[in-house]
Amino acid sequence: MSSLSRELVFLILQFLEEEKFKESVHKLEKESGFFFNMKYFEEKVQAGEWDEVEKYLSGFTKVDDNRYSMKIFFEIRKQKYLEALDRQDKAKAVEILVTDLKVFSTFNEELYKEITQLLTLSNFRENEQLSKYGDTKTARSIMLIELKKLIEANPLFRDKLAFPTLKSSRLRTLINQSLNWQHQLCKNPRPNPDIKTLFTDHSCTPTNGPLAPTPVNLPVAAVAKPASYTSLGGHNPFPPTAASANAGALAGWMANASASSSVQAAVVTASSIPVPQNQVSVLKHPRTPPATSGMVDYQSAEHEQLIKRLRPVPSVEEVSYSASRQQAWSLDDLPRNVAVTLHQGSTVISMDFHPSHQTLLLVGSTNGEITLWDLGMRERLVSKPFKIWDMAACPLPFQVLILLIAHRFLCENIVSLIIEAFLQASIVKDAPISVSRVAWSPDGNFVGAAFTKHLIQLYAYAGSNDLRQHLQIDAHVGGVNDLAFAHPNKQLCVVTCGDDKLIKVWDLTGRKLFNFEGHEAPVYSICPHHKESIQFIFSTAIDGKIKAWLYDNMGSRVDYDAPGHWCTTMLYSADGSRLFSCGTSKEGDSFLVEWNESEGTIKRTYAGFRKKSAGVVQFDTTQNHFLAVGEDSQIKFWDMDSVNVLTSTEAEGGLPSLPRLRFSKEGNLLAVTTADNGFKILANAVGLRSLRATENPPFEALRTPIESAAMKISVSSVSSVSPVNCKVERSSPVRPSPIINGIDPTSRSMEKPRTVDDVIDKTKPWQLAEIVDSGHCRLVTLPDSTDTSSKVVRLLYTNSGVGILALGSNGIQKLWKWARNEQNPSGKATASVVPQHWLPNSGLLMTNDVSGVNLEEAVPCIALSKNDSYVMSATGGKVSLFNMMTFKVMTTFMSPPPASTFLAFHPQDNNIIAIGMEDSTIHIYNVRVDEVKSKLKGHQKRISGLAFSTNLNILVSSGADAQMCVWSIDTWEKRKSVTIQIPAGKAPTGDTRVHFHSDQIRMLVVHETQLAIYDASKMERIRQWVPQDVLSAPISCATYSCNSQLVYATFCDGNIGVFDADTLRLRCHIAPTAYMSQSVLNGSQAVYPLVVAAHPLESNQLAVGLTDGTVKVLEPTEPEGKWGVSPPVDNGLLNGRTTSSSTTSNHTPDQLQR
């Protein structure tokens, strides 16, 4: 088929989709084989319509086309078979086995036999391979993820997964252009051509008499795309209609307010007659044609161009029709787990997360108070009770006027004080002043608060706990109902609405820029937005009217009725492509709808509300995929593309009947109000990690000047250090920096703002926390772990935090799990409860392949999948992949030589593994296809560390050659190589490990001679610490705590150090006597920790694996629950003593190699 024919098929597909010919669309997709509609495929799989799934696939591939196709059909038929077994429909299962699965027996007879044996089980989950099979819906979702990967990898689907980007109604536009061209060819063109058919070429019928109309000049370039189309067969397609009806989005709403026809706008050009600037937009009232033949009077061309620019780029209508493949998602993406519960003290009315620091939450309540919370620390950073800043902005009560009359009898200062007292008291006496809205500016530098009494107040946010009064405006007569920030003309402004039926726009000096009139009832909410460079505002009033405004004082462009005809709020999706509204009628019926922007009509109405509500429901959107509504004392969630409720949560109870809610920008946290004057924070897994990382990203704007100064080491501190003998080559790009207290304070700074935990009482001298006795910490020794013949060489917590996995030097892995019970209601790992040494019913051990391996020389390695289902490990032999439920070996690969020395799962794909090798190479291995995709070369000795950064899109490797290499994840090309700085007199040998900070930018580098922090975006060192004083032995292992606030380091003499992760200053020393018995300490063999692991959820819990095979879990004692506090930095003095310099010398700078 020719290229033009192929393109015509796409045009027809778009037309069928727009006209809702659903079956025809997918039939043409299948028969043509040009476009595989992944969204349609997903819907059918999720619905379990297996016959349609295979029928649709058959248009693109057959079972035996290639191995990808075979796997696709096998997964589908296997799922169909398992579902039949799950329904106990054995007859159907046998039918599927014989008719659908039999074809695969020729390729894998053993697998077919195993599938057949499932018929003999009362529950197929008794089979160890299927023991984790959940419910049908979950199983389909998991399978769908695999199917999508197979389809994308299948060469038969290449270039068939993306629909071309087309403007909406492209086929209609081409037809209209053709009609326009035909009309130009008419010998006697009429101003109002009457086209009745497309089956024959158009030609105007000549009129009688000599005075025929003059031709109309209608160049094809002037053809405008209509906003909406009627039937192509409709009569009179060319009556005069506003040419700007093609503007889409908001402009489409404007045009449709006049109910214009579709093809009507096709051959109309902008008028040459100017329109007076003060004239109300003819979008709502198109003019009738003038008497002069051949000329039609429309809006000015300038206004038309303005409206055209309102078209979204790209809009949902233009690229749409399920052209783009949607990312896989699951219910786990929704923040549904209660992570924090806080008490505000007054009913919470409005909440807003900081735009870039999602653990900062702004809260406004009914007592007029504004509070800034740090959710990670569970602390109020700032609380601002309502107070009038500027009395001149308030109307004077009658009593104050009397005082003014008596002014000449009283001292001026006394009168001023009395007036202020009268004003404050009178406002409070009239009625309680409540916050109606709080909001952050888009850049996070300003906070806006609207109140139920005519005022708005703006604060400047300078960071941490610094909210400064910026501006107070007497904005409206009566209450201010809503407030939002906008950027008209690239100027940050505040938009407000109120009981006086007005919308107003203010600059940040308090000057009123616009005053929009037109509502006939108090304005309830506003929604500023923009498409390209055009800014506009949607507003809703309590009579249910929706209006839209451009920043031009030309009046409302839209006048529509919201569902329910009462209080409604409008919101866009995060990417600005979809518009939603939610509200409640006076009768208590609630409505959640999606709007068709181009037509001003309701595109989708969501179901799932209870019949009557006692107030107005609130809603929010997140992740461009989900909607959430607070109703019936719970939070209900919808998929934007489905009208039925996706799921709901009661958030462990305590919610009011109509809870208010607000998502963080990333959608990982959800703030929900409670009935007891507080709020809860719901989180998904990512949100939970961010809450436990109490620091914020390293933005200077978050620090007050005092904090910034306190966090930098002053020049005087450097001068107090004894000189260090350093020889620097002339070509060296930098000079060596002195090491203070074992720390190299290079000038490159990525410090975080200080947390409340680190604020030190100046009246008390700081002291290093010394843990020297077991009574000073909580400790548990894991049962059955002592094995003097096998050292613990690798140690991991499970990602869920419920277990610990240890790999011994003998190649055997042990797993311990904590049970959920009264002593441990969370079921997470804890030092307060002894866990169980867990084994499957079969009694199998997870044992690595060690045949022919010298265990004394082997370098063990281990990695755990993100869902804790599989563990991959090696001890000098082949890499084994174990099922964590059954301990069975699923597969082995990478036979030595060379042996594998480090393993890391790709952060976005569990099938991709980075494998460091003994021969200094790194293999990028795809488990699914059993193939090495890339082999990376850059080190001189074995690989000892690998770490991925999704933020920087890089893989960092480290080796026993004291080098680090940076690799692009996209191309696997080497970007940079860095040699770490080894102290003088030390050999550049030994393993180097790398761990990324939670910000995915900073990186902890661990070597037996040092700890160092690097900025991975530049591979520049920020901090360095070398062993000294009480911690002078070589470092055996180190890692970040789960929130990246701490660094846990173990030493070869048994000591453990807990460091501040930003400054690398020691805050707690744990002596061997705190966790080892005297008999062990006095034994003939030195016992010390080889490895340390940090709990994934509890930032102050660590586990250590010792050389005698034991594993111990340590936590600080209550009530402090922390490993000391960070030492102060004060002119180089620490606890009143001059800080000592490191004994290292010849401190050469990092050497960068390209």
Side-chain angles (χ1 to χ4, degrees):
M1 187 177 287
S2 69
S3 175
L4 287 178
S5 297
R6 185 173 185 273
E7 291 180 358
L8 181 58
V9 171
F10 281 113
L11 291 174
I12 295 171
L13 285 172
Q14 185 196 43
F15 170 81
L16 293 173
E17 176 70 14
E18 291 175 337
E19 295 298 315
K20 311 299 182 188
F21 294 114
K22 297 293 186 182
E23 292 184 8
S24 301
V25 170
H26 304 308
K27 188 171 183 179
L28 181 56
E29 288 168 352
K30 181 179 76 72
E31 290 184 351
S32 68
F34 289 152
F35 174 60
F36 184 83
N37 192 328
M38 187 68 82
K39 184 176 179 182
Y40 174 72
F41 179 74
E42 289 176 22
E43 290 174 354
K44 295 303 175 184
V45 170
Q46 291 284 16
E49 298 179 22
W50 305 118
D51 291 341
E52 178 58 27
V53 168
E54 288 207 21
K55 184 178 178 182
Y56 188 70
L57 272 172
S58 66
F60 303 87
T61 185
K62 300 294 185 290
V63 175
D64 55 355
D65 279 345
N66 56 43
R67 59 176 178 169
Y68 298 101
S69 299
M70 185 177 296
K71 186 80 163 81
I72 290 168
F73 281 92
F74 173 76
E75 290 296 330
I76 292 169
R77 294 175 182 181
K78 181 185 73 173
Q79 180 62 28
K80 183 166 63 168
Y81 175 68
L82 293 177
E83 289 183 18
L85 290 176
D86 211 20
R87 296 191 305 268
Q88 300 298 318
D89 189 350
K90 293 292 181 71
K92 182 65 176 176
V94 170
E95 179 186 340
I96 296 169
L97 188 67
V98 173
T99 60
D100 295 333
L101 290 170
K102 181 67 176 176
V103 65
F104 302 104
S105 63
T106 57
F107 305 100
N108 193 331
E109 182 67 22
E110 290 301 316
L111 178 61
Y112 184 72
K113 288 180 180 178
E114 188 173 350
I115 292 174
T116 304
Q117 289 173 359
L118 296 178
L119 286 167
T120 64
L121 303 177
S122 59
N123 185 342
F124 63 80
R125 293 172 182 83
E126 295 171 16
N127 182 290
E128 290 182 342
Q129 301 287 345
L130 299 171
S131 60
K132 295 193 71 175
Y133 184 99
D135 57 22
T136 298
K137 185 176 181 181
T138 303
R140 289 176 182 173
S141 298
I142 293 171
M143 179 192 67
L144 192 53
I145 294 171
E146 179 67 13
L147 290 180
K148 290 174 70 175
K149 291 178 181 177
L150 290 168
I151 289 170
E152 290 168 1
N154 195 329
L156 294 177
F157 289 83
R158 191 167 296 145
D159 301 325
K160 296 181 180 181
L161 298 176
F163 197 83
T165 300
L166 304 174
K167 292 186 176 181
S168 61
S169 305
R170 178 61 182 161
L171 183 59
R172 291 183 182 276
T173 300
L174 290 173
I175 292 173
N176 291 331
Q177 290 174 345
S178 171
L179 293 173
N180 183 42
W181 174 73
Q182 292 173 31
H183 185 64
Q184 290 183 69
L185 297 181
C186 291
K187 295 181 179 179
N188 298 294
R190 298 174 57 187
N192 263 333
D194 186 14
I195 295 181
K196 293 185 168 69
T197 181
L198 296 176
F199 295 155
T200 59
D201 289 347
H202 158 71
S203 179
C204 288
T205 305
T207 55
N208 294 328
L211 299 176
T214 56
V216 182
N217 183 20
L218 298 171
V220 173
V223 174
K225 185 188 106 38
S228 61
Y229 287 89
T230 56
S231 168
L232 278 170
H235 296 291
N236 193 25
F238 295 106
T241 306
S244 57
N246 70 320
L250 177 60
W253 286 45
M254 299 171 184
N256 286 324
S258 59
S260 60
S261 180
S262 81
V263 192
Q264 298 170 353
V267 297
V268 179
T269 59
S271 171
S272 60
I273 299 178
V275 178
Q277 291 185 356
N278 61 351
Q279 184 170 340
V280 177
S281 170
V282 293
L283 284 168
K284 295 172 68 175
H285 309 288
R287 305 179 188 177
T288 54
T292 308
S293 60
M295 188 171 290
V296 183
D297 186 12
Y298 290 93
Q299 294 176 215
S300 69
E302 180 181 355
H303 188 87
E304 178 183 357
Q305 289 303 112
L306 174 70
I307 300 304
K308 283 182 179 180
R309 290 202 304 272
L310 282 169
R311 173 184 301 283
V313 181
S315 72
V316 174
E317 301 298 326
E318 289 178 343
V319 296
S320 67
Y321 132 59
S322 63
S324 57
R325 301 190 303 276
Q326 306 215 354
Q327 293 182 343
W329 60 269
S330 72
L331 289 178
D332 292 336
D333 296 332
L334 287 171
R336 295 182 295 156
N337 302 309
V338 176
V340 179
T341 301
L342 295 169
H343 188 66
Q344 176 69 18
S346 180
T347 302
V348 175
I349 295 297
S350 179
M351 300 172 290
D352 197 21
F353 284 91
H354 191 282
S356 56
H357 305 294
Q358 66 172 348
T359 57
L360 293 181
L361 180 68
L362 186 66
V363 176
S365 50
T366 52
N367 62 358
E369 187 177 56
I370 300 165
T371 306
L372 179 60
W373 290 86
D374 186 312
L375 302 175
M377 296 188 296
R378 282 69 164 168
E379 296 264 355
R380 294 179 194 245
L381 297 181
V382 188
S383 187
K384 297 286 186 182
F386 175 77
K387 182 179 180 182
I388 297 173
W389 305 343
D390 181 9
M391 291 303 160
C394 300
L396 297 178
F398 177 74
Q399 295 93 328
V400 176
L401 293 177
I402 299 298
L403 283 171
L404 288 175
I405 295 171
H407 178 265
R408 63 193 185 98
F409 302 107
L410 298 171
C411 169
E412 183 174 348
N413 290 338
I414 294 175
V415 171
S416 298
L417 291 172
I418 295 174
I419 289 174
E420 181 172 348
F422 260 116
L423 284 170
Q424 297 281 8
S426 63
I427 290 178
V428 174
K429 182 179 178 181
D430 287 345
I433 290 188
S434 170
V435 172
S436 53
R437 174 75 66 195
V438 291
W440 287 97
S441 63
D443 57 10
N445 292 333
F446 291 94
V447 164
F451 298 92
T452 53
K453 285 288 185 72
H454 64 81
L455 291 175
I456 67 167
Q457 293 178 345
L458 299 182
Y459 292 87
Y461 179 62
S464 188
N465 57 353
D466 192 6
L467 274 184
R468 302 173 185 173
Q469 295 180 4
H470 177 75
L471 179 66
Q472 176 178 282
I473 303 175
D474 188 9
H476 293 269
V477 177
V480 184
N481 296 327
D482 202 1
L483 171 148
F485 288 90
H487 272 98
N489 303 318
K490 299 182 180 179
Q491 176 186 8
L492 182 61
C493 295
V494 180
V495 185
T496 63
C497 66
D499 289 340
D500 54 6
K501 308 174 186 177
L502 300 176
I503 298 107
K504 299 182 181 182
V505 182
W506 315 83
D507 67 15
L508 295 191
T509 67
R511 182 168 61 97
K512 184 167 65 178
L513 302 178
F514 297 98
N515 191 75
F516 298 130
E517 301 181 33
H519 277 291
E520 298 176 357
V523 185
Y524 178 73
S525 73
I526 47 178
C527 177
H529 196 60
H530 66 92
K531 296 286 185 183
E532 284 192 13
S533 60
I534 301 302
Q535 304 274 342
F536 55 91
I537 304 168
F538 277 116
S539 62
T540 65
I542 63 171
D543 59 359
K545 292 294 182 183
I546 298 174
K547 294 182 182 292
W549 319 78
L550 297 175
Y551 293 88
D552 59 3
N553 285 323
M554 294 290 288
S556 167
R557 302 314 209 274
V558 163
D559 190 357
Y560 282 94
D561 290 323
H565 303 281
W566 200 39
C567 299
T568 295
T569 304
M570 305 188 80
L571 288 176
Y572 275 89
S573 57
D575 60 6
S577 65
R578 302 173 72 172
L579 178 63
F580 302 89
S581 73
C582 182
T584 305
S585 69
K586 292 181 180 179
E587 293 75 29
D589 297 314
S590 297
F591 301 88
L592 176 63
V593 302
E594 180 179 4
W595 291 89
N596 186 325
E597 282 190 273
S598 65
E599 298 181 6
T601 57
I602 292 174
K603 181 178 181 179
R604 185 180 283 113
T605 300
Y606 298 90
F609 291 100
R610 70 175 187 175
K611 291 187 177 179
K612 299 295 178 183
S613 295
V616 181
V617 297
Q618 306 292 317
F619 88 118
D620 202 0
T621 73
T622 189
Q623 301 178 28
N624 298 315
H625 203 103
F626 300 110
L627 301 166
V629 172
E631 193 227 18
D632 201 16
S633 297
Q634 57 184 314
I635 306 301
K636 298 179 180 179
F637 298 94
W638 283 263
D639 177 352
M640 288 180 178
D641 297 321
S642 176
V643 299
N644 295 318
V645 174
L646 179 64
T647 187
S648 63
T649 178
E650 295 182 353
E652 299 179 1
L655 304 187
S657 59
L658 296 174
R660 298 173 184 269
L661 68 162
R662 184 70 170 171
F663 282 106
S664 62
K665 184 178 179 181
E666 297 85 357
N668 298 319
L669 300 177
L670 175 61
V672 181
T673 59
T674 59
D676 59 353
N677 297 339
F679 59 92
K680 295 183 179 184
I681 302 299
L682 279 58
N684 58 17
V686 176
L688 285 171
R689 286 195 292 271
S690 69
L691 287 174
R692 290 179 172 88
T694 56
E695 68 168 27
N696 290 313
F699 290 100
E700 285 293 334
L702 278 179
R703 291 195 211 117
T704 64
I706 294 175
E707 289 172 321
S708 294
M711 293 175 63
K712 299 188 184 294
I713 299 175
S714 68
V715 176
S716 62
S717 68
V718 177
S719 62
S720 68
V721 180
S722 59
V724 180
N725 293 325
C726 303
K727 294 182 179 180
V728 184
E729 299 295 332
R730 291 183 180 181
S731 61
S732 174
V734 293
R735 292 179 178 272
S737 52
I739 298 182
I740 303 173
N741 192 30
I743 302 168
D744 176 15
T746 56
S747 59
R748 297 179 293 273
S749 175
M750 293 184 66
E751 297 96 330
K752 67 175 175 25
R754 311 304 291 168
T755 66
V756 169
D757 295 341
D758 297 326
V759 177
I760 299 173
D761 187 350
K762 298 295 184 182
T763 64
K764 297 180 181 178
W766 177 86
Q767 287 188 336
L768 174 70
E770 295 273 4
I771 310 295
V772 297
D773 185 85
S774 59
H776 297 161
C777 65
R778 289 190 290 160
L779 171 71
V780 64
T781 301
L782 305 195
D784 303 323
S785 63
T786 305
D787 183 356
T788 54
S789 65
S790 177
K791 305 172 183 177
V792 179
V793 288
R794 295 293 180 264
L795 192 66
L796 296 173
Y797 277 91
T798 60
N799 293 296
S800 59
V802 301
I804 287 180
L805 183 65
L807 171 60
S809 56
N810 59 1
I812 297 176
Q813 289 145 106
K814 294 181 180 180
L815 175 65
W816 291 269
K817 289 184 179 182
W818 275 258
R820 187 189 298 270
N821 51 39
E822 291 183 2
Q823 287 181 294
N824 186 25
S826 69
K828 305 294 184 186
T830 174
S832 302
V833 176
V834 178
Q836 173 194 5
H837 179 205
W838 195 88
L839 288 170
N841 294 332
S842 62
L844 276 177
L845 296 177
M846 281 191 286
T847 306
N848 282 330
D849 167 42
V850 293
S851 54
V853 174
N854 183 345
L855 293 177
E856 293 295 324
E857 298 178 357
V859 180
C861 50
I862 189 169
L864 186 63
S865 65
K866 291 191 288 289
N867 60 5
D868 294 335
S869 296
Y870 302 99
V871 64
M872 177 175 55
S873 64
T875 310
K878 291 184 287 188
V879 178
S880 300
L881 184 68
F882 295 93
N883 183 314
M884 284 281 282
M885 288 295 294
T886 64
F887 286 9
K888 279 190 174 182
V889 177
M890 309 299 295
T891 185
T892 58
F893 50 91
M894 305 302 289
S895 299
S900 303
T901 56
F902 203 91
L903 303 168
F905 280 100
H906 191 289
Q908 278 119 14
D909 188 347
N910 269 343
N911 291 306
I912 304 297
I913 305 165
I915 306 176
M917 309 299 289
E918 193 174 34
D919 66 353
S920 79
T921 61
I922 302 165
H923 292 189
I924 306 302
Y925 178 75
N926 189 316
V927 178
R928 178 160 49 86
V929 296
D930 189 20
E931 184 179 342
V932 175
K933 294 294 185 182
S934 298
K935 185 181 290 187
L936 316 182
K937 297 180 180 180
H939 288 274
Q940 305 304 314
K941 295 184 179 180
R942 71 169 182 269
I943 304 301
S944 56
L946 294 168
F948 284 94
S949 169
T950 51
N951 277 8
L952 300 177
N953 213 32
I954 60 173
L955 168 68
V956 177
S957 60
S958 59
D961 54 0
Q963 284 214 359
M964 295 183 292
C965 295
V966 181
W967 312 86
S968 166
I969 290 179
D970 295 326
T971 62
W972 300 115
E973 294 179 353
K974 187 168 79 169
R975 293 184 181 176
K976 190 177 292 187
S977 178
V978 177
T979 301
I980 69 168
Q981 180 177 316
I982 301 294
K986 303 287 185 181
T989 58
D991 290 348
T992 305
R993 296 287 175 83
V994 284
H995 305 274
F996 268 104
H997 186 283
S998 59
D999 65 10
Q1000 293 280 289
I1001 297 174
R1002 282 171 280 183
M1003 182 174 65
L1004 173 66
V1005 178
V1006 184
H1007 187 265
E1008 65 179 28
T1009 64
Q1010 63 187 279
L1011 301 174
I1013 304 295
Y1014 277 72
D1015 176 353
S1017 65
K1018 307 171 186 175
M1019 287 307 289
E1020 294 179 349
R1021 198 186 69 215
I1022 303 167
R1023 291 278 183 273
Q1024 186 187 46
W1025 181 91
V1026 296
Q1028 60 186 291
D1029 299 333
V1030 70
L1031 300 177
S1032 58
I1035 300 167
S1036 59
C1037 190
T1039 190
Y1040 275 121
S1041 63
C1042 66
N1043 61 3
S1044 299
Q1045 287 245 200
L1046 306 174
V1047 170
Y1048 297 120
T1050 56
F1051 295 81
C1052 293
D1053 60 359
N1055 283 293
I1056 301 173
V1058 182
F1059 296 81
D1060 181 276
D1062 276 341
T1063 63
L1064 286 185
R1065 289 184 176 272
L1066 183 65
R1067 57 190 286 166
C1068 181
H1069 164 230
I1070 305 172
T1073 53
Y1075 66 94
M1076 285 191 279
S1077 66
Q1078 281 300 319
S1079 60
V1080 172
L1081 292 171
N1082 297 331
S1084 58
Q1085 295 291 328
V1087 177
Y1088 62 92
L1090 275 176
V1091 284
V1092 61
H1095 193 286
L1097 301 173
E1098 298 296 335
S1099 60
N1100 285 286
Q1101 184 185 134
L1102 68 147
V1104 291
L1106 308 185
T1107 53
D1108 67 351
T1110 58
V1111 178
K1112 298 176 182 286
V1113 176
L1114 294 90
E1115 288 179 306
T1117 55
E1118 299 295 344
E1120 294 85 2
K1122 296 182 178 66
W1123 299 109
V1125 294
S1126 293
V1129 179
D1130 186 12
N1131 281 344
L1133 299 178
L1134 183 60
N1135 196 23
R1137 298 172 298 169
T1138 304
T1139 55
S1140 60
S1141 66
S1142 170
T1143 57
T1144 60
S1145 62
N1146 195 27
H1147 207 62
T1148 57
D1150 294 354
Q1151 301 161 16
L1152 267 65
Q1153 301 172 351
R1154 293 287 179 185

